[in-house]
Coordinates of all heavy atoms in Angstrom, one line a residue:
M10 N 0.8 -1.2 0.0 CA 0.0 0.0 0.0 C 0.9 1.2 0.0 O 1.1 1.9 1.0 CB -0.9 0.0 1.3 CG -2.1 -0.8 1.1 SD -3.4 0.0 1.9 CE -3.9 -1.1 3.2
L11 N 1.3 1.5 -1.1 CA 2.2 2.7 -1.2 C 1.5 3.9 -1.3 O 1.9 5.0 -0.7 CB 3.1 2.5 -2.5 CG 4.3 3.3 -2.6 CD1 5.2 3.1 -1.4 CD2 5.1 2.9 -3.9
F12 N 0.3 3.9 -1.9 CA -0.4 5.2 -2.0 C -1.8 5.0 -1.3 O -2.6 4.2 -1.6 CB -0.7 5.5 -3.5 CG 0.5 5.8 -4.3 CD1 1.0 4.8 -5.1 CD2 1.2 7.0 -4.2 CE1 2.2 5.0 -5.9 CE2 2.3 7.2 -4.9 CZ 2.8 6.2 -5.7
K13 N -1.9 5.8 -0.2 CA -3.2 5.7 0.5 C -4.1 6.9 0.1 O -3.5 7.9 -0.2 CB -2.9 5.8 2.0 CG -2.2 4.6 2.6 CD -2.0 4.8 4.1 CE -1.4 3.6 4.6 NZ -1.2 3.7 6.1
S14 N -5.3 6.7 0.0 CA -6.2 7.8 -0.3 C -6.2 8.8 0.9 O -6.1 8.3 2.0 CB -7.6 7.3 -0.6 OG -8.1 6.7 0.6
K15 N -6.3 10.0 0.5 CA -6.2 11.1 1.6 C -7.6 11.1 2.2 O -8.6 11.1 1.6 CB -5.9 12.4 1.0 CG -4.5 12.6 0.5 CD -4.3 14.0 0.1 CE -2.8 14.2 -0.4 NZ -2.5 15.5 -0.8
K16 N -7.6 11.2 3.5 CA -8.8 11.3 4.3 C -9.2 12.8 4.2 O -8.4 13.7 4.5 CB -8.6 10.9 5.7 CG -9.8 11.0 6.6 CD -9.6 10.4 7.9 CE -10.9 10.4 8.7 NZ -10.6 10.0 10.1
I17 N -10.5 13.0 3.8 CA -10.9 14.4 3.7 C -11.6 14.8 5.0 O -12.4 14.0 5.6 CB -12.0 14.4 2.5 CG1 -11.3 14.1 1.2 CG2 -12.6 15.8 2.5 CD1 -12.3 14.0 0.0
L18 N -11.1 15.9 5.5 CA -11.5 16.4 6.8 C -12.8 17.2 6.7 O -13.0 18.0 5.7 CB -10.4 17.2 7.5 CG -9.1 16.4 7.7 CD1 -8.1 17.4 8.2 CD2 -9.3 15.3 8.7
P19 N -13.7 17.1 7.7 CA -15.0 17.8 7.6 C -14.7 19.3 7.8 O -13.9 19.8 8.6 CB -15.7 17.4 8.9 CG -15.1 16.1 9.2 CD -13.7 16.1 8.8
S20 N -15.4 20.1 7.0 CA -15.3 21.6 7.1 C -16.6 22.2 7.6 O -17.6 21.6 7.5 CB -14.8 22.2 5.8 OG -15.8 21.9 4.8
L21 N -16.5 23.4 8.0 CA -17.7 24.0 8.6 C -17.6 25.5 8.3 O -16.6 26.2 8.3 CB -17.6 23.9 10.1 CG -18.8 24.4 11.0 CD1 -20.1 23.7 10.7 CD2 -18.4 24.2 12.4
K22 N -18.8 26.1 8.0 CA -19.0 27.5 7.9 C -20.1 27.9 8.8 O -21.2 27.3 8.9 CB -19.4 27.9 6.4 CG -18.4 27.7 5.4 CD -18.8 28.3 4.0 CE -17.7 28.1 3.1 NZ -18.1 28.6 1.7
L23 N -19.8 29.0 9.6 CA -20.8 29.4 10.6 C -21.1 30.9 10.2 O -20.2 31.7 9.9 CB -20.2 29.4 12.0 CG -19.8 28.1 12.5 CD1 -19.2 28.2 13.9 CD2 -21.0 27.1 12.6
Y24 N -22.4 31.2 10.2 CA -22.8 32.5 9.9 C -23.6 33.1 11.1 O -24.4 32.4 11.8 CB -23.8 32.5 8.7 CG -23.1 32.0 7.4 CD1 -23.2 30.6 7.1 CD2 -22.5 32.9 6.6 CE1 -22.5 30.2 6.0 CE2 -21.9 32.4 5.4 CZ -22.0 31.1 5.1 OH -21.3 30.6 4.0
G25 N -23.4 34.4 11.3 CA -24.1 35.2 12.3 C -24.9 36.3 11.7 O -25.0 36.3 10.5
T26 N -25.5 37.1 12.5 CA -26.2 38.2 12.0 C -25.4 39.2 11.2 O -25.9 39.8 10.2 CB -27.0 39.0 13.1 OG1 -26.0 39.4 14.0 CG2 -28.0 38.1 13.8
S27 N -24.1 39.3 11.5 CA -23.3 40.2 10.8 C -22.5 39.5 9.6 O -21.7 40.2 9.0 CB -22.3 40.8 11.7 OG -21.4 39.8 12.3
G28 N -22.7 38.3 9.3 CA -22.1 37.6 8.2 C -21.3 36.4 8.6 O -21.6 35.8 9.6
L29 N -20.3 36.0 7.9 CA -19.5 34.8 8.2 C -18.7 35.0 9.4 O -17.9 35.9 9.6 CB -18.5 34.6 6.9 CG -17.7 33.3 7.0 CD1 -18.6 32.1 6.9 CD2 -16.7 33.3 5.8
L30 N -18.9 34.0 10.3 CA -18.1 34.0 11.6 C -16.9 33.1 11.6 O -15.9 33.4 12.2 CB -19.0 33.5 12.7 CG -20.3 34.4 13.0 CD1 -21.1 33.6 14.1 CD2 -19.9 35.7 13.5
Y31 N -17.1 31.9 10.8 CA -15.9 30.9 10.8 C -16.1 30.2 9.5 O -17.1 29.8 9.1 CB -16.1 30.0 12.0 CG -15.0 28.9 12.0 CD1 -13.7 29.2 12.4 CD2 -15.3 27.6 11.6 CE1 -12.7 28.2 12.4 CE2 -14.4 26.6 11.5 CZ -13.1 26.9 11.9 OH -12.1 25.9 11.9
D32 N -14.9 29.9 8.9 CA -14.8 29.1 7.7 C -13.5 28.4 7.8 O -12.5 28.9 7.6 CB -14.9 30.0 6.5 CG -14.8 29.2 5.1 OD1 -14.9 28.0 5.2 OD2 -14.8 29.9 4.1
G33 N -13.7 27.1 8.1 CA -12.4 26.2 8.2 C -12.8 24.8 8.6 O -14.0 24.3 8.5
L34 N -11.8 24.1 9.0 CA -11.9 22.7 9.4 C -12.7 22.6 10.7 O -12.4 23.4 11.6 CB -10.6 22.0 9.4 CG -9.8 21.9 8.1 CD1 -8.4 21.2 8.3 CD2 -10.5 21.2 7.1
L35 N -13.5 21.6 10.9 CA -14.2 21.3 12.1 C -13.2 21.1 13.3 O -13.4 21.7 14.3 CB -15.1 20.1 11.9 CG -15.8 19.7 13.3 CD1 -16.7 20.9 13.7 CD2 -16.7 18.5 13.0
K36 N -12.1 20.5 13.0 CA -11.1 20.2 14.0 C -10.4 21.4 14.6 O -9.9 21.4 15.7 CB -10.1 19.2 13.6 CG -9.1 19.7 12.5 CD -8.1 18.7 12.2 CE -7.0 19.3 11.4 NZ -6.1 20.2 12.0
D37 N -10.5 22.5 13.8 CA -9.8 23.8 14.2 C -10.9 24.9 14.8 O -10.4 25.9 15.1 CB -9.2 24.4 13.0 CG -8.0 23.6 12.5 OD1 -7.4 22.8 13.3 OD2 -7.7 23.6 11.3
L38 N -12.1 24.5 14.8 CA -13.1 25.3 15.4 C -12.7 25.8 16.8 O -12.4 25.0 17.7 CB -14.4 24.6 15.4 CG -15.6 25.4 16.1 CD1 -16.0 26.5 15.1 CD2 -16.8 24.5 16.3
P39 N -12.7 27.1 17.0 CA -12.4 27.6 18.4 C -13.5 27.2 19.4 O -14.7 27.4 19.1 CB -12.4 29.1 18.2 CG -13.1 29.5 16.9 CD -13.0 28.2 16.1
L40 N -13.0 26.6 20.5 CA -14.0 26.2 21.5 C -13.8 27.0 22.7 O -12.8 27.5 23.0 CB -13.7 24.6 21.9 CG -13.9 23.7 20.8 CD1 -13.4 22.3 21.2 CD2 -15.2 23.7 20.1
K41 N -14.9 27.2 23.5 CA -15.0 27.9 24.7 C -14.0 27.4 25.8 O -14.1 26.2 26.0 CB -16.4 28.1 25.2 CG -17.3 28.9 24.4 CD -18.7 28.9 25.0 CE -19.6 29.6 24.0 NZ -21.0 29.5 24.5
E42 N -13.2 28.2 26.3 CA -12.2 27.8 27.4 C -13.0 27.2 28.5 O -12.6 26.2 29.1 CB -11.4 29.0 27.9 CG -10.4 28.6 28.9 CD -9.3 27.7 28.4 OE1 -9.1 27.4 27.2 OE2 -8.5 27.2 29.3
S43 N -14.1 27.8 28.9 CA -14.9 27.3 30.1 C -15.4 25.9 29.8 O -15.5 25.0 30.8 CB -16.1 28.2 30.3 OG -16.9 28.3 29.2
I44 N -15.8 25.6 28.5 CA -16.2 24.2 28.2 C -15.1 23.2 28.3 O -15.2 22.1 28.8 CB -16.9 24.1 26.8 CG1 -18.1 25.0 26.8 CG2 -17.2 22.7 26.4 CD1 -19.3 24.5 27.7
I45 N -13.9 23.6 27.8 CA -12.7 22.7 27.8 C -12.4 22.4 29.3 O -12.2 21.2 29.6 CB -11.6 23.4 27.1 CG1 -11.8 23.4 25.5 CG2 -10.3 22.6 27.4 CD1 -10.8 24.1 24.8
L46 N -12.4 23.4 30.2 CA -12.1 23.2 31.6 C -13.2 22.3 32.2 O -12.9 21.4 33.0 CB -12.0 24.5 32.3 CG -10.8 25.3 31.9 CD1 -10.8 26.7 32.6 CD2 -9.5 24.7 32.0
Q47 N -14.4 22.6 32.0 CA -15.5 21.8 32.5 C -15.5 20.4 32.1 O -15.6 19.4 32.9 CB -16.9 22.4 32.0 CG -18.1 21.6 32.5 CD -19.4 22.2 31.8 OE1 -19.3 23.3 31.3 NE2 -20.4 21.4 31.9
K48 N -15.2 20.1 30.8 CA -15.1 18.7 30.3 C -13.8 18.0 30.8 O -13.9 16.8 31.0 CB -15.2 18.7 28.8 CG -16.5 19.2 28.3 CD -17.7 18.3 28.7 CE -19.0 18.7 28.1 NZ -20.1 17.8 28.4
S49 N -12.7 18.8 31.0 CA -11.6 18.2 31.6 C -11.8 17.7 33.0 O -11.3 16.6 33.3 CB -10.5 19.2 31.5 OG -9.3 18.7 32.2
V50 N -12.5 18.4 33.7 CA -12.9 17.9 35.1 C -13.8 16.7 35.0 O -13.6 15.7 35.7 CB -13.6 19.0 35.9 CG1 -14.2 18.5 37.2 CG2 -12.6 20.2 36.2
A51 N -14.7 16.7 34.1 CA -15.7 15.6 33.9 C -15.0 14.3 33.5 O -15.2 13.2 33.9 CB -16.8 15.9 33.0
F52 N -14.1 14.5 32.5 CA -13.4 13.3 31.9 C -12.2 12.8 32.7 O -12.0 11.6 32.8 CB -13.0 13.6 30.5 CG -14.0 13.9 29.5 CD1 -13.8 14.8 28.4 CD2 -15.3 13.4 29.6 CE1 -14.8 15.1 27.5 CE2 -16.3 13.8 28.7 CZ -16.1 14.6 27.6
F53 N -11.4 13.7 33.2 CA -10.1 13.4 33.8 C -10.0 13.8 35.3 O -8.9 13.6 35.9 CB -9.0 14.0 33.0 CG -9.0 13.6 31.6 CD1 -9.3 14.5 30.5 CD2 -8.7 12.2 31.2 CE1 -9.2 14.2 29.3 CE2 -8.7 11.9 29.9 CZ -9.0 12.8 28.9
D54 N -11.0 14.5 35.8 CA -10.9 15.1 37.2 C -9.7 16.0 37.3 O -8.9 15.9 38.2 CB -10.8 14.0 38.2 CG -11.1 14.5 39.6 OD1 -11.8 15.6 39.7 OD2 -10.7 13.9 40.6
D55 N -9.5 16.8 36.2 CA -8.3 17.7 36.0 C -8.8 19.1 35.8 O -9.1 19.5 34.7 CB -7.4 17.2 34.9 CG -6.2 17.9 34.8 OD1 -5.9 18.9 35.6 OD2 -5.3 17.6 33.9
P56 N -8.9 20.0 36.9 CA -9.3 21.3 36.7 C -8.2 22.3 36.0 O -8.6 23.3 35.5 CB -9.5 21.8 38.1 CG -8.7 21.0 39.0 CD -8.6 19.7 38.3
E57 N -7.0 21.8 35.9 CA -5.9 22.5 35.2 C -5.3 21.6 34.2 O -4.2 21.1 34.4 CB -5.0 23.1 36.2 CG -5.5 24.0 37.2 CD -4.5 24.5 38.2 OE1 -3.3 24.2 38.0 OE2 -4.9 25.1 39.2
P58 N -5.9 21.3 33.1 CA -5.5 20.3 32.1 C -4.1 20.7 31.4 O -4.0 21.9 31.0 CB -6.7 20.2 31.1 CG -7.3 21.5 31.2 CD -7.2 22.0 32.6
C59 N -3.3 19.7 31.3 CA -2.1 19.9 30.5 C -2.5 19.8 29.0 O -3.7 19.5 28.7 CB -1.1 18.8 30.9 SG -1.7 17.1 30.5
H60 N -1.6 19.9 28.1 CA -1.8 20.0 26.7 C -2.4 18.6 26.2 O -3.2 18.6 25.3 CB -0.7 20.4 25.9 CG 0.5 19.4 25.8 ND1 1.4 19.3 26.8 CD2 0.8 18.6 24.9 CE1 2.2 18.4 26.5 NE2 1.9 17.9 25.3
I61 N -2.0 17.5 26.9 CA -2.4 16.2 26.5 C -3.9 16.1 26.8 O -4.7 15.6 26.0 CB -1.6 15.1 27.2 CG1 -0.2 15.1 26.7 CG2 -2.2 13.7 27.0 CD1 0.8 14.3 27.4
H62 N -4.4 16.5 28.1 CA -5.7 16.4 28.4 C -6.6 17.4 27.6 O -7.7 17.1 27.1 CB -5.9 16.7 29.9 CG -5.6 15.5 30.7 ND1 -5.6 15.6 32.1 CD2 -5.3 14.2 30.5 CE1 -5.3 14.4 32.6 NE2 -5.1 13.6 31.6
R63 N -6.0 18.6 27.3 CA -6.8 19.6 26.4 C -7.0 18.9 25.1 O -8.1 19.1 24.5 CB -5.9 20.8 26.3 CG -6.0 21.7 27.5 CD -5.2 23.0 27.2 NE -5.4 23.9 28.3 CZ -6.4 24.8 28.4 NH1 -7.3 24.8 27.4 NH2 -6.6 25.6 29.4
S64 N -6.0 18.3 24.5 CA -6.2 17.7 23.3 C -7.2 16.6 23.2 O -8.0 16.5 22.3 CB -4.8 17.2 22.8 OG -4.9 16.6 21.5
A65 N -7.2 15.8 24.3 CA -8.1 14.7 24.4 C -9.5 15.2 24.5 O -10.5 14.7 23.9 CB -7.8 13.8 25.6
V66 N -9.7 16.3 25.3 CA -11.0 16.8 25.5 C -11.5 17.5 24.1 O -12.6 17.3 23.7 CB -11.0 18.0 26.6 CG1 -12.2 18.8 26.5 CG2 -10.8 17.3 27.9
R67 N -10.6 18.2 23.5 CA -11.0 18.8 22.2 C -11.4 17.7 21.2 O -12.4 17.9 20.5 CB -9.8 19.5 21.6 CG -10.0 20.2 20.3 CD -8.8 21.0 19.9 NE -9.0 22.4 19.6 CZ -10.0 23.0 19.1 NH1 -11.1 22.4 18.9 NH2 -10.0 24.3 18.8
T68 N -10.6 16.6 21.1 CA -11.0 15.5 20.2 C -12.4 14.9 20.5 O -13.1 14.7 19.6 CB -9.9 14.5 20.3 OG1 -8.7 15.0 20.0 CG2 -10.2 13.2 19.4
R69 N -12.7 14.8 21.8 CA -14.0 14.2 22.1 C -15.1 15.3 21.8 O -16.2 14.9 21.3 CB -14.1 14.0 23.6 CG -13.3 12.7 24.0 CD -13.2 12.5 25.4 NE -14.1 11.4 25.9 CZ -14.0 10.9 27.1 NH1 -13.2 11.4 28.0 NH2 -14.9 10.0 27.5
L70 N -14.9 16.5 22.0 CA -15.9 17.5 21.7 C -16.1 17.7 20.2 O -17.3 17.8 19.8 CB -15.5 18.9 22.3 CG -15.4 18.9 23.8 CD1 -15.0 20.4 24.3 CD2 -16.7 18.5 24.5
V71 N -15.1 17.6 19.5 CA -15.2 17.7 18.0 C -16.0 16.5 17.5 O -16.8 16.6 16.6 CB -13.9 17.8 17.3 CG1 -13.9 17.6 15.9 CG2 -13.3 19.2 17.6
A72 N -15.7 15.4 18.0 CA -16.5 14.1 17.6 C -18.0 14.2 17.9 O -18.8 13.9 17.2 CB -15.9 12.9 18.3
E73 N -18.3 14.8 19.1 CA -19.7 15.0 19.5 C -20.3 16.0 18.5 O -21.4 15.8 18.0 CB -19.8 15.6 20.9 CG -19.5 14.6 22.0 CD -19.7 15.2 23.4 OE1 -20.4 16.3 23.5 OE2 -19.0 14.8 24.3
L74 N -19.6 17.1 18.1 CA -20.1 18.1 17.2 C -20.3 17.5 15.8 O -21.3 17.8 15.1 CB -19.1 19.3 17.1 CG -19.1 20.3 18.3 CD1 -18.0 21.3 18.1 CD2 -20.5 21.0 18.4
Q75 N -19.4 16.7 15.4 CA -19.5 16.0 14.1 C -20.7 15.2 14.0 O -21.4 15.2 13.0 CB -18.2 15.2 13.8 CG -18.2 14.7 12.3 CD -16.9 14.0 12.0 OE1 -15.9 14.0 12.7 NE2 -16.9 13.5 10.7
R76 N -21.0 14.4 15.0 CA -22.2 13.6 15.0 C -23.5 14.5 15.0 O -24.4 14.2 14.2 CB -22.2 12.7 16.3 CG -21.3 11.5 16.2 CD -21.6 10.5 17.3 NE -21.3 11.1 18.6 CZ -20.2 11.1 19.2 NH1 -19.1 10.5 18.6 NH2 -20.0 11.6 20.5
E77 N -23.5 15.6 15.7 CA -24.6 16.5 15.7 C -24.8 17.1 14.3 O -25.9 17.1 13.8 CB -24.5 17.5 16.8 CG -25.6 18.5 16.8 CD -25.4 19.6 17.8 OE1 -24.6 20.5 17.5 OE2 -26.2 19.6 18.8
L78 N -23.7 17.6 13.8 CA -23.7 18.3 12.5 C -24.2 17.3 11.4 O -24.9 17.7 10.5 CB -22.4 19.0 12.2 CG -22.1 20.2 13.1 CD1 -20.6 20.5 13.0 CD2 -23.0 21.4 12.7
H79 N -23.6 16.1 11.5 CA -24.0 15.1 10.4 C -25.5 14.8 10.5 O -26.1 14.7 9.5 CB -23.2 13.8 10.7 CG -23.5 12.7 9.8 ND1 -23.1 12.6 8.4 CD2 -24.3 11.6 9.9 CE1 -23.6 11.6 7.9 NE2 -24.3 10.9 8.7
A80 N -26.0 14.5 11.7 CA -27.5 14.2 11.9 C -28.3 15.4 11.3 O -29.3 15.2 10.6 CB -27.8 14.0 13.3
R81 N -27.9 16.7 11.6 CA -28.7 17.8 11.2 C -28.6 18.0 9.7 O -29.6 18.4 9.0 CB -28.3 19.1 11.9 CG -28.6 19.0 13.4 CD -28.1 20.2 14.2 NE -29.0 21.3 14.1 CZ -30.2 21.3 14.9 NH1 -30.5 20.3 15.7 NH2 -31.0 22.4 14.8
G82 N -27.4 17.7 9.2 CA -27.1 17.9 7.7 C -28.0 16.9 6.9 O -28.4 17.2 5.8
E83 N -28.2 15.7 7.4 CA -28.9 14.7 6.7 C -30.4 15.1 6.6 O -31.1 14.8 5.7 CB -28.9 13.3 7.5 CG -27.6 12.6 7.1 CD -27.6 11.2 7.8 OE1 -28.4 11.0 8.8 OE2 -26.8 10.3 7.3
Q84 N -30.8 15.9 7.6 CA -32.2 16.4 7.6 C -32.3 17.8 6.8 O -33.4 18.3 6.6 CB -32.6 16.7 9.0 CG -32.7 15.5 9.9 CD -33.0 15.8 11.3 OE1 -33.0 16.9 11.7 NE2 -33.1 14.8 12.1
G85 N -31.2 18.3 6.3 CA -31.2 19.5 5.6 C -31.4 20.7 6.5 O -31.8 21.8 6.1
D86 N -31.1 20.6 7.7 CA -31.2 21.6 8.7 C -29.9 22.4 8.9 O -28.9 21.8 9.3 CB -31.6 21.0 10.1 CG -32.0 22.0 11.1 OD1 -32.0 23.2 10.9 OD2 -32.4 21.6 12.2
E87 N -30.0 23.7 8.6 CA -28.8 24.5 8.7 C -28.8 25.4 10.0 O -27.8 26.2 10.2 CB -28.6 25.5 7.5 CG -28.2 24.7 6.3 CD -27.8 25.7 5.2 OE1 -28.1 26.9 5.3 OE2 -27.3 25.2 4.1
T88 N -29.8 25.2 10.9 CA -29.8 25.9 12.2 C -28.7 25.2 13.1 O -28.6 24.0 13.1 CB -31.1 25.9 12.8 OG1 -31.6 24.6 13.0 CG2 -32.2 26.6 11.9
P89 N -28.1 26.0 13.9 CA -27.1 25.4 14.8 C -27.7 24.6 15.8 O -28.8 24.9 16.4 CB -26.4 26.6 15.5 CG -27.3 27.7 15.3 CD -28.2 27.5 14.0
G90 N -27.1 23.4 16.2 CA -27.6 22.5 17.2 C -27.2 23.0 18.6 O -26.4 23.9 18.7
P91 N -27.8 22.4 19.6 CA -27.4 22.8 21.0 C -25.9 22.6 21.3 O -25.4 23.5 22.0 CB -28.3 21.9 21.8 CG -28.8 20.8 21.0 CD -28.8 21.3 19.6
L92 N -25.3 21.6 20.9 CA -23.9 21.4 21.2 C -23.0 22.4 20.5 O -22.1 23.0 21.1 CB -23.4 20.0 20.8 CG -24.0 18.8 21.6 CD1 -23.4 17.6 21.1 CD2 -23.7 19.0 23.1
L93 N -23.4 22.8 19.3 CA -22.6 23.8 18.5 C -22.7 25.1 19.2 O -21.7 25.8 19.4 CB -23.1 23.9 17.1 CG -22.3 24.9 16.2 CD1 -20.8 24.5 16.1 CD2 -22.9 24.9 14.8
T94 N -23.9 25.5 19.6 CA -24.0 26.9 20.3 C -23.4 26.9 21.7 O -22.9 27.9 22.1 CB -25.5 27.3 20.4 OG1 -26.2 26.2 21.0 CG2 -26.1 27.5 19.0
Q95 N -23.4 25.7 22.3 CA -22.7 25.6 23.6 C -21.2 25.6 23.6 O -20.5 26.2 24.4 CB -23.3 24.4 24.3 CG -22.7 24.2 25.7 CD -23.2 22.9 26.4 OE1 -24.0 22.1 25.8 NE2 -22.8 22.6 27.6
Y96 N -20.6 24.8 22.6 CA -19.2 24.6 22.6 C -18.4 25.6 21.7 O -17.3 26.0 22.2 CB -18.9 23.2 21.9 CG -19.4 22.0 22.7 CD1 -19.2 20.8 22.1 CD2 -19.9 22.1 24.0 CE1 -19.7 19.6 22.8 CE2 -20.3 21.0 24.7 CZ -20.2 19.7 24.1 OH -20.5 18.6 24.8
A97 N -18.9 26.1 20.7 CA -18.2 27.0 19.8 C -18.0 28.4 20.5 O -18.9 29.0 21.0 CB -19.0 27.1 18.5
D98 N -16.8 28.9 20.2 CA -16.5 30.2 20.7 C -16.8 31.2 19.7 O -15.9 32.0 19.2 CB -15.0 30.2 21.3 CG -14.8 31.5 22.1 OD1 -15.7 32.2 22.5 OD2 -13.6 31.8 22.3
C99 N -18.0 31.4 19.3 CA -18.5 32.2 18.2 C -19.8 32.8 18.7 O -20.7 32.1 19.2 CB -18.8 31.5 16.9 SG -17.2 30.9 16.1
A100 N -19.9 34.1 18.6 CA -21.1 34.8 19.1 C -22.2 34.7 18.2 O -22.1 34.8 16.9 CB -20.8 36.3 19.4
S101 N -23.4 34.4 18.7 CA -24.7 34.4 17.9 C -24.7 33.7 16.5 O -24.8 34.3 15.5 CB -25.3 35.8 17.8 OG -24.5 36.6 17.0
I102 N -24.5 32.4 16.6 CA -24.5 31.6 15.3 C -26.0 31.5 14.9 O -26.8 31.0 15.6 CB -23.9 30.2 15.5 CG1 -22.5 30.4 16.1 CG2 -24.0 29.4 14.2 CD1 -21.9 29.1 16.6
C103 N -26.2 31.9 13.6 CA -27.6 31.8 13.0 C -27.8 30.6 12.1 O -28.8 30.0 12.0 CB -27.9 33.1 12.3 SG -28.0 34.6 13.3
R104 N -26.7 30.3 11.4 CA -26.8 29.2 10.4 C -25.4 28.6 10.3 O -24.4 29.2 10.5 CB -27.1 30.0 9.0 CG -27.4 29.0 7.9 CD -28.0 29.7 6.7 NE -27.2 30.8 6.2 CZ -26.4 30.6 5.1 NH1 -26.3 29.4 4.5 NH2 -25.8 31.6 4.6
C105 N -25.4 27.3 9.9 CA -24.2 26.6 9.7 C -24.3 25.7 8.5 O -25.3 25.1 8.2 CB -23.8 25.8 11.0 SG -25.0 24.5 11.4
Q106 N -23.1 25.5 7.9 CA -23.1 24.6 6.7 C -21.9 23.6 7.0 O -20.7 24.1 7.2 CB -22.7 25.4 5.4 CG -23.9 26.3 5.0 CD -23.5 27.1 3.7 OE1 -22.4 27.4 3.5 NE2 -24.5 27.4 2.9
F107 N -22.2 22.4 7.0 CA -21.3 21.3 7.3 C -21.0 20.5 6.1 O -21.9 20.1 5.4 CB -21.8 20.4 8.4 CG -21.0 19.3 8.9 CD1 -19.7 19.6 9.4 CD2 -21.4 18.0 8.8 CE1 -18.9 18.5 9.8 CE2 -20.7 17.0 9.1 CZ -19.4 17.2 9.7
K108 N -19.7 20.3 5.8 CA -19.4 19.5 4.6 C -18.4 18.4 5.1 O -17.3 18.7 5.6 CB -18.8 20.4 3.6 CG -18.5 19.8 2.3 CD -17.9 20.8 1.3 CE -17.7 20.2 0.0 NZ -17.1 21.2 -1.0
E109 N -18.8 17.1 4.8 CA -18.0 16.0 5.2 C -17.0 15.5 4.1 O -16.1 14.7 4.3 CB -18.8 14.9 5.7 CG -19.4 15.1 7.0 CD -20.1 14.0 7.6 OE1 -21.3 13.7 7.2 OE2 -19.6 13.3 8.5
S110 N -17.3 16.0 2.9 CA -16.5 15.4 1.7 C -15.9 16.6 1.0 O -16.3 17.6 1.0 CB -17.3 14.5 0.9 OG -18.4 15.1 0.4

């Protein structure tokens, strides 16, 4: 297997009342610091997470967001779901476009 097919990463566009808020890869979406700390305590009992715990928390949160966005996308729903509005560090998200391929 010399040549492996490239894995296409999910991308996301977030729109607010003033226009485009975020356009990039889902894995790079800015997440609220308070959520990262809260989930670090829940997952690892670590109120001051090191970069390893931060990365693990981020990976889990992005996976949760991907599941939510995928389900909403299958329904043709571009309104932000509860996890997206809770986790994303973007003010007043009105619409989102999720692309997995």
Side-chain angles (χ1 to χ4, degrees):
M10 281 217 240
L11 202 51
F12 299 102
K13 291 184 181 179
S14 61
K15 289 186 179 181
K16 185 176 181 182
I17 298 174
L18 300 174
S20 62
L21 182 65
K22 287 185 182 182
L23 300 177
Y24 298 91
T26 54
S27 61
L29 186 65
L30 299 172
Y31 178 78
D32 182 6
L34 297 176
L35 177 60
K36 71 176 189 67
D37 296 331
L38 178 69
L40 301 176
K41 293 177 184 172
E42 181 67 13
S43 60
I44 295 296
I45 292 174
L46 295 177
Q47 176 187 345
K48 296 297 183 175
S49 176
V50 169
F52 298 150
F53 303 111
D54 195 26
D55 186 358
E57 296 179 13
C59 63
H60 71 280
I61 295 169
H62 281 175
R63 282 181 172 276
S64 178
V66 167
R67 182 176 233 330
T68 300
R69 287 173 107 170
L70 296 180
V71 167
E73 287 180 27
L74 285 171
Q75 186 171 357
R76 283 190 298 273
E77 177 182 77
L78 290 164
H79 176 78
R81 294 178 86 77
E83 284 186 335
Q84 299 170 353
D86 189 357
E87 289 191 346
T88 59
L92 292 180
L93 182 61
T94 55
Q95 181 183 2
Y96 294 171
D98 195 10
C99 297
S101 64
I102 303 168
C103 297
R104 185 169 63 97
C105 62
Q106 293 178 330
F107 179 62
K108 187 175 179 183
E109 291 186 277
S110 55

